[in-house]
Every structure is written in structure tokens, then in C-alpha cells.
């Protein structure tokens, strides 16, 4: 879903996902760029120069990505209205009084049109010859199947009824809202999902043996554009691929050394065998029922609260928004998958850390690292602070640049190690290095698939040889296929933050302050990585 919904700017609306609206937005972006070109940076304050650079980069990206709109997979199993809408209505849309309830119904009434817009975008891509892979579309179609309910028995209606019980409403109002919601479900949302299912069932696909977008018409140009979109740095696919190869070897060496310290000799074993040996001795938490899952969610909140103290001296500003840990909604949950939803710019909803608990056991080897990535000091620190920063222009509070946000979260994993939080947890540190190796390997796999023509099997084999369990490797590669350019942003973003930190340390010497550096990185909200040096240089000048 888009920005107006997530930020709480219009609690009656769903974002317009039509190609026509996107074209209008691109035209506005071009007009705005023309106006910005007349601004003289020398007349601005340091913070205003950062805002100008962020705005110019953002607007150019809007124009560029619209030019390639028909290459995007409008229906995929990672992102999109079909997957996000039920969770958004249940966990994001407020429901405390009559206005909230009527806005909820208004969004249900708008849902059919939004889902039909997605279906139209699927057909547009097909008409342009840019076909999804058979498996990628198939997984998305399965997700759609998880939303096929009658209006009267729809989980959204049941959830609404439960939430209305706690709202400040008379019973007659509750009955009216439920009746209107059921009508909207029957007339809009359910037919909208049916239209999208029909579009998915009729859509042509290409073979899974040719997964890369380089098989689209003008696909190489699209991949270069979408890679730049996610990285927000001017790097070519070839340059990114080479960085990935170098980083794989670096992290692999660190991982082998860490495993030797717990008695696993990775020099004598294949890396995959060594990692499997460590995983065999790592603890797991049984998930025998809902009580076990609720206990793990509570333990996770306690873990985050306990470890947060280690970061207090490393930051000069801390987020005020609370953090809740929840399970994902049905259809989005996996065994161990995790993601974060920030609080709105307007309103008081907490940040939400979704932790998948679909399996019968929960492996703990990467548990701490996932918490640091998604919560504190990772996404919750960065995104909650961004949304809370009322002094920032709305664009800087609203937008999320992938390389910056995911780079920060991966940097947060390393920062936890630097803060000593793995000193008594060598298996957890091995888990951290395994995740960093995965992020480096995904740089190689993503560019391999979309720029070098790797097959799906080649990419899976590459990850498996680096110790990623086969099932995990399959899901990672399938993600890379349907979301080109996104996976490299994690590692590239972390490397850029580390590069800037090392440069600041070298320049400032004993005047360097890590908390001050973190403030410089975070205080401008989410910024393109190409603009981040300007923010850090401004801070360094203030230290002098």
C-alpha cells in the first residue's frame, strides 16, 4: 500500500494504483523538477540542502520508474494490495469511534476498485510482453486463494465485529456498521479478489528456467533502473555483482573462523556441512500450540527490552513509539519469517514487528539477529524516529529508500555485535554471520539472475553451496525473481554506512562520536544513499 494509508494522512482512502494515476504523478514530478532546478543551493541552510537533494532524487526516480512501469510484477507474493490489505485493515486502520468505523467501511467500499487496478496492471504487463514466471505467479495465486471467503464469513468482518465491541459505539451503530461492512465485502472486496484471481488464472507466464527480467523486452535497461531505484546509488549491475563476490569471500572467512571457535572445523568440511553441524547444536523452541507461540512472542518483547539498554549510549535520540511483536496474518505467515511495520506520521499506533511462527519448532540460531534487524536498533529505531520527526518535511518522514532502510537494519545487526551482545552467545554470532553471508550471496544471485541470465537452479545451487538450507535457498531465489534489485540493497546499504563511518573517524580523529554519527545518519529521515554523504559531511562540519 502507498503512503497516504500508511502515514494516516487520509483514513478514508485507499491509494490509487492505476497506471493513469502513476502517469499523472510522473508528470507532476517532472514539473516539480523543473521548478527545483531554479533553486540555488548556496542560498540554503545545510538541512535545506539535504532536503533539496532528497527531493530531487525522489522525483527523478518517480519519473524513471514510471517509464518502466509495465516491467513490474503487479501481482507477486512479496508486496502488493492483495497481500497487504487484510493486514492493513486489521492492524493499521484505527477503530476507536464512529468516525473510525465509517472510514473502515469507506475503505472496504474502495477495495474492489484498488484490486481491479492491480488486475489491470497485470494485463498491461502481459500486453507489453513482460510475463511473470510460472512459479512466481502461482505462489501469488495461492495467496489470493487464502482470501476467498463469503462476505458473511469473511475474517475481516469477524475482526471488525470483535474490534467494534471495544469501540465507543451504541449497539445500533455497531449493527449498522457491520451491515454496511458486509455489503461492502459482498459488493467490492470479494469481487475484487475474484477479478484478480481471474486475471492471474488467465495470465500468460514464462518458464521458471528463464527467471530474469533480462528476458523482458528492454529488460536489461529495466534491471539497471530498478537496481538503482533500490540501491539509490549509481552502480551498474556488473559493479554490484563484483561487490557481492568480494563480500561473500570476506564473510565466508569470518564465518569459518567463528565456527572453529565452537569446535566445527570448516576447513575440513564443506561450508554447507559445517553450517549444518553448527545448526544441529543450536537450540530450538518447540511450538506445540498457541500457548507456546504466545510465550515466544512475549519472550521476544522481553528480549528487545533487555538488550535495548546496550544501545542507549550509542544514540542521542531514541524513538518514543512503543513496539509490539505479533504474528503475521493468515496467508502471510511463514516459519521464522519476519518484517516490520512502522507507526504512522499522524496517530499513535505502535511500530509492529511481525514474527512468523508457522512451524512446529522455532530455530534460535538467527533469532537474536532477526530481533536486532527488525526492532532495536534496526527498523524500529530508524523508521519510528523518521515518522516522529515533526520538524522534517513530509517527504522525508514518508518515503523509505530501500538501500538506506535495509542497509541500516543490516548495520544494526553488526552494531549489536560491536556492542558486545554476542560475547556470551557464540552460536548467535555465527547466526549473525550466516545472515550477513546470505545478504552478500543474494547480491550475487540477484545480479546473476537478472543481469547475467542465471537459471533458477543455478541461483539455488549457489546459495546451497554457501550453506543455505535448500528450502530456504528456494524461497530466497523465488523472492529475488519476483522482486528484482531489492535484495542487493541490504549489503550495499550497510557497506555505504560503514564507509561513511570510517571516513568520519579518519577525518575527525578523537573528535569522532559514534552517537553523533548515528544522529547524522538518522536525523534527516530516510534518504537516498547517494545523498547520505551530504548529511554526514554537514554533521562533520558542525563538529569542526
Amino acid at each position: 500500500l502507498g503512503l497516504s494509508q500508511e502515514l494516516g494522512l487520509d483514513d478514508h482512502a485507499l491509494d490509487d494504483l492505476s497506471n493513469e494515476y502513476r502517469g499523472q504523478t510522473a508528470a507532476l514530478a517532472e514539473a516539480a523538477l523543473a521548478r527545483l532546478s531554479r533553486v540555488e543551493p548556496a542560498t540554503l541552510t545545510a538541512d535545506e540542502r539535504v532536503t533539496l537533494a532528497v527531493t530531487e532524487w525522489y522525483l527523478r526516480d518517480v519519473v524513471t520508474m514510471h517509464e518502466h512501469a509495465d516491467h513490474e510484477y503487479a501481482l507477486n507474493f512479496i508486496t502488493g494490495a492483495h497481500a497487504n490489505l487484510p493486514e492493513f485493515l486489521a492492524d493499521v486502520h484505527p477503530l476507536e469511534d464512529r468516525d473510525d468505523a465509517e472510514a473502515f467501511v469507506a475503505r472496504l467500499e474502495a477495495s474492489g476498485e484498488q484490486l481491479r487496478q492491480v488486475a489491470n496492471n497485470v494485463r498491461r504487463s502481459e500486453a507489453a510482453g513482460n510475463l511473470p514466471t510460472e512459479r512466481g505467479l502461482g505462489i501469488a495465486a495461492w495467496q489470493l486463494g487464502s482470501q476467498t471467503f463469503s462476505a458473511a464469513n469473511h475474517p475481516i468482518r469477524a475482526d471488525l465485529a470483535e474490534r467494534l465491541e471495544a469501540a465507543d459505539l451504541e449497539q445500533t451503530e455497531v449493527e449498522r456498521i457491520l451491515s454496511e461492512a458486509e455489503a461492502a465485502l459482498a459488493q467490492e472486496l470479494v469481487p475484487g479478489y475474484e477479478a484478480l484471481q481471474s486475471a492471474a488464472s488467465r495470465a500468460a507466464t514464462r518458464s521458471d528456467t528463464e527467471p530474469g527480467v533480462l528476458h523482458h523486452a528492454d529488460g536489461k535497461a529495466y534491471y539497471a533502473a530498478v537496481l538503482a531505484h533500490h540501491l539509490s546509488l549509481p552502480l551498474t549491475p556488473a559493479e554490484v555483482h563484483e561487490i557481492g563476490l568480494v563480500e561473500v569471500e570476506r564473510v565466508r572467512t569470518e564465518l569459518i573462523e567463528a565456527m572453529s571457535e565452537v569446535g566445527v572445523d570448516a576447513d575440513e568440511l564443506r561450508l554447507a556441512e559445517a553450517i549444518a553441524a553448527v545448526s544441529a547444536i543450536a537450540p530450538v523452541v518447540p511450538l506445540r500450540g498457541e500457548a507456546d507461540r504466545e510465550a515466544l512472542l512475549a519472550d521476544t518483547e522481553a528480549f528487545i527490552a533487555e538488550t535495548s539498554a546496550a544501545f542507549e549510549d550509542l544514540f542521542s535520540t531514541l524513538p518514543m513509539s512503543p513496539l509490539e511483536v505479533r504474528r503475521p496474518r493468515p496467508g502471510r505467515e511463514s516459519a521464522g519469517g519476519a518484517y516490520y511495520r512502522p507507526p504512522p506520521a499522524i496517530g499513535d499506533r505502535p511500530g509492529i514487528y511481525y514474527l512468523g511462527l508457522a512451524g512446529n519448532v522455532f530455530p534460535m540460531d538467527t533469532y537474536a539477529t532477526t530481533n536486532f534487524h527488525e526492532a532495536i536498533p534496526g527498523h524500529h529505531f530508524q523508521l519510528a524516529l523518521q515518522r516522529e520527526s515533526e520538524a522534517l518535511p513530509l517527504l522525508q518522514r514518508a518515503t523509505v529508500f530501500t538501500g538506506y532502510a535495509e542497509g541500516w537494519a543490516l548495520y544494526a545487526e553488526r552494531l549489536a555485535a560491536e556492542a558486545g551482545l554476542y560475547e556470551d552467545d557464540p552460536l548467535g554470532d555465527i547466526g549473525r554471520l550466516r545472515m550477513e553471508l546470505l545478504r552478500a550471496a543474494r547480491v550475487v544471485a540477484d545480479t546473476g539472475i537478472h543481469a547475467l541470465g542465471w537459471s533458477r537452479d543455478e541461483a539455488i545451487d549457489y546459495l546451497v553451496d554457501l550453506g543455505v538450507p535448500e528450502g530456504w535457498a528456494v524461497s530466497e531465489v523465488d523472492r529475488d525473481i519476483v522482486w528484482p534489485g531489492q535484495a542487493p540493497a541490504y549489503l550495499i546499504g550497510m557497506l555505504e554506512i560503514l564507509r561513511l563511518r570510517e571516513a568520519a573517524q579518519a577525518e575527525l580523529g578523537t573528535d569522532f562520536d559514534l552517537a553523533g554519527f548515528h544522529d547524522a545518519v538518522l536525523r534527516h529521515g530516510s534518504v537516498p544513499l547517494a545523498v547520505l554523504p551530504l548529511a554526514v559531511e554537514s554533521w562533520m562540519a558542525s563538529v569542526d
Side-chain angles (χ1 to χ4, degrees):
L1 300 178
L3 296 176
S4 68
Q5 291 164 223
E6 294 288 346
L7 294 174
L9 299 179
D10 184 346
D11 60 8
H12 289 73
L14 293 181
D15 293 314
D16 190 332
L17 303 181
S18 68
N19 190 67
E20 292 75 16
Y21 181 79
R22 189 166 179 172
Q24 293 167 8
T25 303
L28 286 172
E30 288 183 312
L33 281 168
R35 294 179 64 186
L36 285 176
S37 68
R38 299 194 292 269
V39 175
E40 177 51 59
T43 66
L44 304 177
T45 67
D47 285 353
E48 288 171 343
R49 285 194 291 273
V50 172
T51 294
L52 176 63
V54 171
T55 306
E56 287 179 332
W57 197 98
Y58 173 79
L59 293 173
R60 283 195 297 269
D61 185 62
V62 168
V63 173
T64 298
M65 294 315 297
H66 176 62
E67 293 170 355
H68 297 280
D70 288 340
H71 286 279
E72 295 179 1
Y73 297 128
L75 181 60
N76 70 68
F77 61 89
I78 302 296
T79 63
H82 73 288
N84 290 340
L85 184 57
E87 184 175 276
F88 172 82
L89 290 171
D91 293 350
V92 177
H93 184 99
L95 201 58
E96 297 179 1
D97 53 30
R98 184 173 64 183
D99 287 345
D100 289 344
E102 291 180 343
F104 188 101
V105 173
R107 279 180 159 156
L108 283 179
E109 291 170 344
S111 64
E113 176 60 21
Q114 189 183 65
L115 292 168
R116 286 188 289 272
Q117 287 171 349
V118 176
N120 287 337
N121 291 338
V122 170
R123 288 188 283 268
R124 282 184 60 87
S125 293
E126 181 178 0
N130 302 324
L131 306 180
T133 60
E134 183 176 356
R135 180 175 173 83
L137 188 62
I139 298 173
W142 171 83
Q143 280 184 332
L144 289 172
S146 72
Q147 301 300 328
T148 53
F149 305 95
S150 67
N153 297 318
H154 205 288
I156 288 178
R157 185 197 183 283
D159 188 75
L160 174 62
E162 182 178 338
R163 294 175 70 194
L164 286 174
E165 290 182 5
D168 185 20
L169 291 171
E170 298 290 337
Q171 185 58 35
T172 55
E173 288 286 280
V174 170
E175 292 173 359
R176 176 182 65 83
I177 292 295
L178 284 176
S179 176
E180 292 176 358
E182 189 170 328
L185 285 165
Q187 297 166 17
E188 294 295 339
L189 187 134
V190 171
Y193 274 110
E194 290 172 347
L196 194 49
Q197 276 189 308
S198 176
S201 66
R202 297 181 180 187
T205 59
R206 71 174 187 277
S207 169
D208 293 321
T209 61
E210 295 183 338
V213 294
L214 81 167
H215 296 290
H216 292 186
D218 201 27
K220 288 186 177 181
Y222 167 60
Y223 182 62
V226 78
L227 186 64
H229 163 79
H230 284 296
L231 299 184
S232 58
L233 282 173
L235 295 171
T236 67
E239 290 169 333
V240 174
H241 189 80
E242 184 59 32
I243 291 170
L245 291 172
V246 171
E247 289 298 301
V248 163
E249 287 308 306
R250 174 188 63 80
V251 185
R252 183 177 179 277
T253 300
E254 293 179 20
L255 179 58
I256 289 172
E257 181 179 346
M259 288 192 292
S260 68
E261 294 178 2
V262 297
V264 176
D265 190 347
D267 289 327
E268 293 186 1
L269 299 170
R270 289 178 57 247
L271 182 61
E273 294 170 342
I275 290 175
V278 173
S279 296
I281 62 175
V284 298
V285 172
L287 300 176
R288 294 159 294 202
E290 291 309 300
D292 286 347
R293 291 178 173 85
E294 289 299 322
L296 183 54
L297 293 178
D299 288 346
T300 302
E301 288 190 341
F303 176 94
I304 292 167
E306 291 167 5
T307 55
S308 295
F311 303 108
E312 290 179 356
D313 293 338
L314 303 181
F315 294 86
S316 57
T317 306
L318 303 176
M320 295 181 293
S321 299
L323 175 70
E324 292 184 8
V325 184
R326 302 180 188 173
R327 293 176 65 185
R329 292 276 155 177
R332 298 204 74 188
E333 186 171 40
S334 61
Y339 56 100
Y340 173 79
R341 187 187 290 276
I346 300 172
D348 58 0
R349 175 176 51 78
I352 304 172
Y353 167 20
Y354 292 96
L355 184 63
L357 304 175
N360 296 321
V361 296
F362 187 89
M364 299 295 286
D365 47 356
T366 60
Y367 171 75
T369 296
T370 300
N371 290 335
F372 296 135
H373 181 103
E374 301 294 344
I376 295 173
H379 285 317
H380 183 62
F381 253 37
Q382 184 259 310
L383 291 168
L385 280 173
Q386 175 188 0
R387 296 290 171 83
E388 293 169 3
S389 300
E390 295 182 2
L392 287 176
L394 185 58
L395 178 66
Q396 286 166 260
R397 296 177 69 188
T399 52
V400 177
F401 299 99
T402 315
Y404 174 87
E406 297 300 352
W408 174 264
L410 187 54
Y411 172 81
E413 297 176 20
R414 174 175 287 211
L415 189 63
E418 294 174 349
L421 290 172
Y422 291 103
E423 287 181 358
D424 298 323
D425 184 16
L427 293 178
D429 196 39
I430 289 171
R432 176 186 70 84
L433 288 167
R434 283 181 59 195
M435 293 303 292
E436 191 167 318
L437 180 61
L438 174 65
R439 271 55 171 267
R442 291 197 316 191
V443 174
V444 179
D446 192 274
T447 50
I449 291 167
H450 296 293
L452 303 181
W454 285 16
S455 70
R456 179 172 177 269
D457 286 345
E458 283 178 297
I460 292 170
D461 289 345
Y462 178 76
L463 295 185
V464 169
D465 286 344
L466 289 172
V468 181
E470 185 170 0
W472 192 351
V474 167
S475 65
E476 290 289 348
V477 168
D478 285 339
R479 167 191 166 125
D480 293 345
I481 290 169
V482 303
W483 208 1
Q486 194 269 354
Y490 294 67
L491 183 81
I492 299 298
M494 181 193 74
L495 292 177
E496 182 63 8
I497 294 171
L498 287 172
R499 184 190 72 79
L500 292 171
R501 189 176 82 174
E502 291 167 3
Q505 286 174 312
E507 177 74 19
L508 297 177
T510 57
D511 289 331
F512 176 81
D513 173 61
L514 187 56
F517 172 77
H518 290 154
D519 185 61
V521 171
L522 296 175
R523 66 181 293 268
H524 296 280
S526 186
V527 302
L529 291 176
V531 178
L532 191 56
L534 183 61
V536 174
E537 289 162 9
S538 174
W539 165 70
M540 290 169 60
S542 71
V543 173
D544 294 342

